Amino acid sequence: MTINYLTIFPDMFSVFTGHSIPKRAAEAGLAAFHVYDIRAYTEDKHKRVDDYPFGGGAGMVMMPQPIFDCFKAVEQNTGGKSINIYMSPKGKPLSDAQAKHLSEYDTLNILCGHYEGVDQRVIDHLIDEEISIGDYILTGGELPAMVLTDAVIRYIPGVLGNEASTENESFSDGLLEHPQYTRPADYNGMKVPDVLLSGHHEKINEWRKTESEAITRRMRPDMEKKKRRNNNG
């Protein structure tokens, strides 16, 4: 298996891949790890990879251009059956069954986000699966990527004799977060929703609430049922 990490903190992976089970898997030729620095692919002269979100709000959002270009480079180390993963609190909760399923792939490309997340167009056009490791917030996606890797490579034949058991649920605060977008408003024909450019805060809030409800119904119907029970209780 080949595991490619896309990150703005590439040094974080050297300790992880150089010890314990990942090191054993690499030395046995059962797994290969490659780290890509997203900052190396930005077209910004100051090496920025983030910008303010359209529609306002706290924090910054990672821009699409550096991530799209980084994925192009990653494709050179992508072969066989592959999947693009984004470590996200909005994703499906990591489970033992999911880790076992992912171990059947030849290549995992894992995107590690930061700040308030990544531009939604990255998720819509590049990501196959969003995965969460639990109902809490971390600084970035590097640690979750390591957790996912550790859970998955245990199922590669020859790495470990025992199965790894991981039971975690998605982040929950009633509703999952709405999509986020940042500049440019039109990236290669992929456009930001008009409402976020309108400056009409009431309509923006209504759009965000509607999107949050739709995402929650699609991604976590159990959360929607729980919220409905609480409201009726």
Side-chain angles (χ1 to χ4, degrees):
M1 172 181 283
T2 296
I3 301 180
N4 299 312
Y5 303 104
L6 295 79
T7 173
I8 59 174
F9 292 105
D11 293 341
M12 290 185 66
F13 289 95
S14 59
V15 174
F16 170 71
T17 59
H19 292 81
S20 190
I21 301 303
K23 180 181 179 181
R24 184 186 308 172
E27 290 179 342
L30 300 173
F33 306 101
H34 303 282
V35 183
Y36 293 80
D37 185 353
I38 296 173
R39 290 189 189 278
Y41 300 90
T42 182
E43 295 175 355
D44 183 85
K45 64 180 180 180
H46 301 296
K47 296 299 180 182
R48 287 183 56 184
V49 296
D50 63 305
D51 210 330
Y52 294 101
F54 281 119
M60 308 289 277
V61 177
M62 294 183 71
M63 298 184 292
Q65 178 272 313
I67 299 175
F68 269 81
D69 286 357
C70 188
F71 263 104
K72 289 180 182 178
V74 169
E75 289 176 0
Q76 298 177 12
N77 277 322
T78 298
K81 184 181 179 182
S82 65
I83 184 171
N84 293 343
I85 298 168
Y86 174 48
M87 307 308 302
S88 165
K90 294 189 292 186
K92 296 178 181 178
L94 176 62
S95 67
D96 187 55
Q98 187 178 35
K100 185 175 182 179
H101 171 69
L102 290 175
S103 72
E104 299 172 359
Y105 283 84
D106 300 304
T107 304
L108 305 184
N109 299 320
I110 307 177
L111 173 62
C112 306
H114 264 269
Y115 314 114
E116 293 301 309
V118 303
D119 189 291
Q120 184 67 27
R121 288 165 288 190
V122 170
I123 299 172
D124 292 342
H125 296 274
L126 293 177
I127 300 302
D128 301 309
E129 191 83 50
E130 292 184 69
I131 297 178
S132 169
I133 65 166
D135 291 356
Y136 45 85
I137 299 174
L138 296 175
T139 304
E142 286 76 16
L143 292 176
M146 296 177 199
V147 171
L148 175 64
T149 300
D150 192 84
V152 169
I153 62 175
R154 290 170 176 264
Y155 278 111
I156 299 176
V159 172
L160 191 67
N162 299 323
E163 292 187 352
S165 178
T166 308
E167 295 182 359
N168 292 293
E169 295 180 350
S170 175
F171 173 78
S172 169
D173 62 350
L175 289 174
L176 295 177
E177 189 180 25
H178 52 78
Q180 295 276 15
Y181 298 87
T182 188
R183 288 183 284 183
D186 185 342
Y187 180 71
N188 289 348
M190 297 171 283
K191 298 181 179 181
V192 171
D194 291 338
V195 65
L196 297 180
L197 309 178
S198 68
H200 196 301
H201 296 294
E202 183 176 348
K203 289 184 178 179
I204 290 173
N205 289 335
E206 290 175 356
W207 179 88
R208 286 175 169 172
K209 185 174 185 296
T210 299
E211 289 295 309
S212 292
E213 291 172 344
I215 290 173
T216 303
R217 283 195 299 271
R218 184 173 72 252
M219 304 290 286
R220 293 294 304 274
D222 57 311
M223 287 173 54
E224 183 191 36
K225 292 179 181 178
K226 180 179 179 180
K227 186 177 180 66
R228 199 160 52 229
R229 286 198 301 269
N230 291 339
N231 290 339
N232 294 333

